[in-house]
Amino acid sequence: MPNANNDTHAPQTERSAQTTQALNQVQRRAVSELLRVSPVADDLARRFQEAGFTLALVGGSVRDALLGRLGNDLDFTTDARPEDVLKIVRPWADAVWEVGIAFGTVGCKKDSFDIEVTTYRSEAYDRTSRKPEVSYGDSIEDDLVRRDFTVNAMAVALPEKEFIDPHNGLEDLAAQVLRTPGTPQESFSDDPLRMMRAARFAAQLDFTVAPEVVAAMKEMADRIDIVSAERVRDELNKLILGAHPRKGLALLVESGIADRVLPELPALRLERDEHHRHKDVYEHSLTVLDQAIDLEEDGPDLVLRLAALLHDIGKPKTRRFEKDGRVSFHHHEVVGAKMTKKRMTALKYSNEMVKDVARLVELHLRFHGYGTGEWTDSAVRRYVRDAGPLLTRLHKLTRSDCTTRNKRKANALSRAYDGLEERIARLQEQEELDAIRPDLDGNDIMQVLDIAPGPGVGKAYKYLLELRLENGPMGRDAAVAALKEWWAEQQS
């Protein structure tokens, strides 16, 4: 990949051997990645060239190529206006979509590649707007300077494969540092969401955020207030689903941005009492998140990760110093579930996700009633019934919630939970616990009691469900006899 518009490759005397080796490595990776996508990219570039326009692979696609992790999502930039882009890609692509055309972006699919082509542009917020104002630019240099970070401000002009790096993004990539092309103040003023992107990329790429960028985030944290809840939520999700979410979350807290978008997280930094009678709830929550991630089996699980992060957010409101010197957090799981619903609703999460995460927060302490393993089969059935389809996640959350350094205590908790899971498995095999329901359904109840649909049927169903949870499967005859007996008592 030829050099281009900068002095990226300075003499050896001006650069350490280690840096040079890192740069060579990322360039080798990039060549390999670009060769893989070259047939599609070059074909598209020639079509733009024949129409009198330029085309370049840009931004995250170049960054990921240099990191050796370029997928099938390709981002291009061009001097062609959106209407011209449509004329070029429609005869060529397998499918075309115009969802982002108001922002200068045309999307299309070709073979296995999802492609976005965006006209050179500059966009900025005014002081109060939640939507950026978009204007088109005339050069790729103008386009790159408006990018969020130098590692995303590189391009490869096609089809000649000229590497364009006016802001030394390649060196920052090799050093794993996040900087802005211009001053961070200008960048964050243009789009305040970039402050959250700094934390997101730290979490995804395990990069360090440059000190001047962190300072600007602290200085301008209040600017995040003009960004819509949906955009904040989407960045938060990407951060939490990253490989190193603790790193990104810690930056949000340190910079003060979390105080504005997820205030329940920094609130966990409770002042320690002089006798240190309770653990650091903030650090505990981040550790629980780390441990939950270790238990994931089928890739990142947003519901589990959110529940792990938020499971103790009710503790600050419920902390009490007891007369015997202990610190208590009575019913913090109930308070925390309500707080979770409120925050996630404000961030515009789906109703289903709000319900699932809040339910896990509410149930995360339930296992500790198991204690010495003396739960009855009835209690185990209720545990399974209350968890419902979240049971597997509840297992992982509960195991993750053990952060004690006392190995004996940790091993005892682990053995107890092993025992509970074994009992659940045995009961599931015997009783089909995943579909706990009474031995009689609503039609059966109406027939046995000779009653019409109404509240009485619901009360009878609830009674039979309690019997089922308490006793396990009863069989039809026993259930009919119990129902008739209960009904007679109700009538008297």
Side-chain angles (χ1 to χ4, degrees):
M1 198 163 48
N3 302 338
N5 310 350
N6 63 351
D7 188 23
T8 299
H9 298 276
Q12 177 64 33
T13 54
E14 298 178 19
R15 176 181 290 110
S16 70
Q18 184 178 5
T19 302
T20 300
Q21 184 178 5
L23 289 170
N24 290 338
Q25 185 177 9
V26 295
Q27 286 185 307
R28 282 196 300 271
R29 285 197 297 254
V31 169
S32 174
E33 293 288 276
L34 291 174
L35 284 173
R36 181 178 66 82
V37 305
S38 189
V40 168
D42 288 350
D43 185 18
L44 183 59
R46 278 191 293 270
R47 291 172 181 269
F48 272 79
Q49 201 171 52
E50 290 168 2
F53 301 109
T54 62
L55 187 73
L57 194 69
V58 72
S61 292
V62 177
R63 180 200 70 221
D64 288 345
L66 291 165
L67 290 172
R69 49 184 278 178
L70 179 61
N72 283 12
D73 293 341
L74 304 179
D75 293 328
F76 296 92
T77 189
T78 180
D79 57 348
R81 295 299 190 254
E83 58 272 19
D84 297 313
V85 175
L86 284 171
K87 290 177 184 176
I88 295 170
V89 301
R90 273 189 173 136
W92 173 80
D94 301 325
V96 176
W97 50 90
E98 303 178 26
V99 175
I101 201 163
F103 298 98
T105 298
V106 173
C108 65
K109 188 172 186 67
K110 179 68 172 179
D111 299 333
S112 62
F113 294 95
D114 289 325
I115 293 168
E116 288 191 345
V117 182
T118 302
T119 302
Y120 297 156
R121 67 189 187 191
S122 60
E123 62 184 31
Y125 282 85
D126 64 28
R127 297 301 300 178
T128 58
S129 173
R130 286 175 177 263
K131 295 183 179 180
E133 297 177 356
V134 177
S135 60
Y136 299 131
D138 297 313
S139 73
I140 194 166
E141 288 76 18
D142 289 342
D143 183 83
L144 293 178
V145 76
R146 74 160 192 88
R147 302 270 166 171
D148 49 9
F149 302 104
T150 60
V151 296
N152 296 329
M154 298 178 283
V156 178
L158 300 171
E160 58 271 23
K161 310 256 186 333
E162 178 190 5
F163 183 50
I164 303 170
D165 182 21
H167 305 288
N168 295 318
L170 185 60
E171 287 197 10
D172 286 341
L173 191 77
Q176 298 186 319
V177 174
L178 289 174
R179 304 183 195 278
T180 53
T183 69
Q185 287 80 5
E186 289 173 333
S187 180
F188 297 156
S189 182
D190 285 348
D191 184 353
L193 192 65
R194 290 172 177 172
M195 295 185 287
M196 287 198 67
R197 284 199 200 118
R200 187 244 289 186
F201 286 126
Q204 288 181 328
L205 304 175
D206 197 21
F207 279 20
T208 299
V209 180
E212 69 273 14
V213 176
V214 176
M217 291 170 68
K218 293 178 179 178
E219 174 189 335
M220 303 177 67
D222 63 327
R223 287 279 287 145
I224 200 69
D225 294 347
I226 73 166
V227 181
S228 69
E230 291 87 350
R231 295 187 75 207
V232 167
R233 175 204 62 209
D234 290 346
E235 284 300 321
L236 186 62
N237 286 349
K238 291 173 185 176
L239 186 163
I240 291 172
L241 289 171
H244 309 276
R246 174 192 281 261
K247 192 167 189 174
L249 292 166
L251 179 56
L252 290 183
V253 171
E254 177 193 353
S255 63
I257 292 173
D259 288 318
R260 315 191 80 88
V261 301
L262 191 64
E264 295 80 5
L265 181 60
L268 292 174
R269 296 180 298 178
L270 296 172
E271 293 181 8
R272 299 289 294 275
D273 62 279
E274 59 181 339
H275 301 296
H276 299 282
R277 288 168 293 190
H278 67 84
K279 70 182 84 176
D280 184 326
V281 184
Y282 170 71
E283 284 296 328
H284 164 76
S285 297
L286 294 181
T287 300
V288 172
L289 173 59
D290 289 338
Q291 295 183 167
I293 291 170
D294 290 340
L295 295 178
E296 290 174 337
E297 298 164 319
D298 300 312
D301 182 342
L302 183 59
V303 170
L304 175 63
R305 293 190 183 197
L306 284 169
L309 181 64
L310 302 176
H311 76 285
D312 272 349
I313 61 171
K315 279 191 170 181
K317 285 191 174 182
T318 58
R319 182 170 67 160
R320 298 289 182 273
F321 294 97
E322 306 293 351
K323 292 179 180 179
D324 61 4
R326 294 182 303 108
V327 178
S328 68
F329 302 96
H330 293 309
H331 305 301
H332 76 268
E333 72 282 12
V334 177
V335 173
K338 292 178 180 177
M339 293 172 65
T340 296
K341 286 181 182 177
K342 184 176 180 180
R343 177 53 51 197
M344 290 185 66
T345 299
L347 287 171
K348 309 295 187 182
Y349 281 92
S350 69
N351 291 336
E352 182 179 4
M353 185 165 286
V354 172
K355 182 182 72 173
D356 286 350
V357 176
R359 186 63 167 157
L360 286 169
V361 171
E362 183 180 4
L363 293 175
H364 82 271
L365 279 187
R366 183 74 64 87
F367 160 73
H368 294 283
Y370 189 68
T372 57
E374 296 173 352
W375 274 10
T376 61
D377 284 350
S378 171
V380 175
R381 292 187 195 102
R382 293 174 192 278
Y383 187 79
V384 173
R385 191 272 307 269
D386 290 347
L390 297 171
L391 182 62
T392 300
R393 286 186 173 116
L394 183 58
H395 287 332
K396 294 174 182 176
L397 176 60
T398 304
R399 288 185 180 276
S400 303
D401 196 21
C402 176
T403 61
T404 179
R405 295 180 182 176
N406 184 320
K407 290 186 177 180
R408 178 183 293 181
K409 184 177 179 182
N411 289 335
L413 284 170
S414 180
R415 285 195 302 271
Y417 209 81
D418 288 343
L420 175 58
E421 288 200 53
E422 290 168 5
R423 287 184 67 187
I424 289 173
R426 285 198 302 271
L427 283 172
Q428 281 176 326
E429 186 176 351
Q430 297 166 11
E431 305 179 11
E432 298 182 3
L433 280 192
D434 291 336
I436 291 179
R437 57 178 62 88
D439 295 87
L440 304 176
D441 63 20
N443 290 327
D444 293 330
I445 291 169
M446 289 188 288
Q447 183 180 2
V448 169
L449 300 181
D450 191 23
I451 60 175
V457 179
K459 290 180 181 178
Y461 188 92
K462 185 176 180 181
Y463 167 72
L464 290 173
L465 179 60
E466 288 297 317
L467 278 185
R468 170 71 173 81
L469 289 166
E470 193 65 35
N471 303 318
M474 297 174 63
R476 181 178 175 84
D477 292 344
V480 168
L483 176 61
K484 287 181 176 178
E485 183 180 348
W486 172 79
W487 186 248
E489 292 175 358
Q490 298 301 303
Q491 299 309 303
S492 65

